[in-house]
Amino acid sequence: MKGVILATGLGQYLVPLSTCLPHPSAFVPERPLIDYAIEAFMNAGFEEIGIVLGYNEGILRPYLQDSARYGIAIYCLHNPWHMRGSATSLFAARPFVEGEPFVVAMADRLLPAHLLFPLLVSPWHAHVMCVNRRNKTGARWQGTVKVWLDKHGKVQRIGKRLKHWHAVDTGVFLFQSRIFHHLSYLLRRWEEPCSVIQLAQHLIASGDELWACDVSNSFLLDNADNWNHFRYVQQMLSIRLAQEELIA
């Protein structure tokens, strides 16, 4: 199975840091965000990763082409439609995944390798999204993508404006190859930008099952999806690095 990392975003929530740099190249605290996602795939046993590039591609591509530093084969995938939303980045990865199921992660997530393991060892035949079911309340979680599940763990509703929810999105998905049928339909129909979350909403509405994989017990730092979260992640990683130095 192949991995796909979406690194096309404008990073508008990190302005002015992202004015000249794509947000996956922002340093947290001393390494680019995208390094953490790549290492998670490598440590989970993936041998090939396709990284979809868009905004300011010229900055990330030279950095990523030296894949020897990671010990994994990295392929840079160009998305000429990145301004039309993150769902187009999945479509840009279609030739790379070659009709097989694939795991997707956002480049601004700081995820551990063992978060990916359940997607690899379970006999999933449906689309899957990794969720964190720990209670998330308070202003800090405003703007986070929230998920409502049925009693069996199937996703019923998803969105940032849900008033009641069971879990929050982690930005990690397992998609079956039929996802491209849905993508083709949406991109032909919609003229406005289409996000991965809107794609998930379409899956639910169409009856193509989207299941939740609970990764609440995995060590997962918050995604850097706004400036406050980004600063929080910087602080947490700085503490983690200091602890590792003391143990060493």
Side-chain angles (χ1 to χ4, degrees), residues 1 90-91 93-104 124-128 174-184 199 203 208-209:
M1 187 182 296
L90 291 181
F91 205 81
R94 185 175 188 174
F96 171 73
V97 300
E98 299 179 329
E100 298 293 329
F102 59 101
V103 175
V104 176
W124 301 100
H125 300 292
H127 311 292
V128 183
L174 167 65
F175 285 126
Q176 304 298 322
S177 60
R178 62 182 181 274
I179 194 68
F180 295 111
H181 170 76
H182 296 284
L183 275 169
S184 296
L199 173 62
L203 290 177
D208 195 352
E209 295 181 345

Side-chain angles (χ1 to χ4, degrees), residues 2-239:
K2 295 179 179 178
V4 174
I5 298 176
L6 307 187
T8 59
L10 296 174
Q12 293 176 329
Y13 53 83
L14 295 182
V15 171
L17 180 63
S18 60
T19 301
C20 299
L21 293 174
H23 69 279
S25 64
F27 281 69
V28 189
E30 57 186 17
R31 302 176 61 200
L33 270 170
I34 199 167
D35 273 9
Y36 296 92
I38 293 172
E39 288 189 354
F41 277 92
M42 181 194 69
N43 293 331
F46 285 79
E47 296 181 353
E48 295 180 292
I49 301 176
I51 302 180
V52 186
L53 303 175
Y55 173 69
N56 274 350
E57 177 180 347
I59 295 175
L60 276 176
R61 184 180 287 270
Y63 178 77
L64 296 170
Q65 284 178 338
D66 181 16
S67 58
R69 74 163 67 90
Y70 303 106
I72 188 172
I74 294 177
Y75 300 88
C76 294
L77 311 174
H78 175 60
N79 178 12
W81 319 286
H82 66 274
M83 295 300 291
R84 289 194 61 194
S86 56
T88 65
S89 294
L90 291 181
F91 205 81
R94 185 175 188 174
F96 171 73
V97 300
E98 299 179 329
E100 298 293 329
F102 59 101
V103 175
V104 176
M106 307 301 170
D108 58 0
R109 264 57 172 182
L110 296 161
L111 61 151
H114 56 270
L115 183 149
L116 302 173
F117 292 156
L119 300 179
L120 300 175
V121 301
S122 300
W124 301 100
H125 300 292
H127 311 292
V128 183
M129 67 180 304
C130 291
V131 301
N132 187 340
R133 295 199 66 163
R134 289 179 297 187
N135 184 36
K136 302 296 182 184
T137 58
R140 181 174 156 219
W141 297 101
Q142 292 179 3
T144 302
V145 176
K146 306 170 184 69
V147 184
W148 179 274
L149 310 172
D150 68 11
K151 63 181 180 180
H152 303 294
K154 186 163 63 174
V155 180
Q156 297 295 304
R157 295 193 297 276
I158 181 172
K160 293 184 177 182
R161 298 183 179 181
L162 295 186
K163 293 183 178 180
H164 305 285
W165 66 91
H166 298 114
V168 295
D169 165 47
T170 67
V172 179
F173 297 83
L174 167 65
F175 285 126
Q176 304 298 322
S177 60
R178 62 182 181 274
I179 194 68
F180 295 111
H181 170 76
H182 296 284
L183 275 169
S184 296
Y185 170 78
L186 285 177
L187 296 178
R188 283 197 308 266
R189 180 183 176 187
W190 289 13
E191 295 183 358
E192 296 183 358
C194 180
S195 68
V196 173
I197 298 306
Q198 288 170 313
L199 173 62
Q201 292 169 338
H202 170 75
L203 290 177
I204 298 168
S206 69
D208 195 352
E209 295 181 345
L210 176 63
W211 289 82
C213 178
D214 185 5
V215 295
S216 303
N217 294 325
S218 296
F219 176 75
L220 177 67
L221 288 174
D222 306 320
N223 56 294
D225 62 358
N226 64 51
W227 182 255
N228 289 333
H229 284 195
F230 182 79
R231 296 299 297 272
Y232 171 74
V233 168
Q234 284 185 314
Q235 180 182 9
M236 292 299 294
L237 270 177
S238 296
I239 294 173

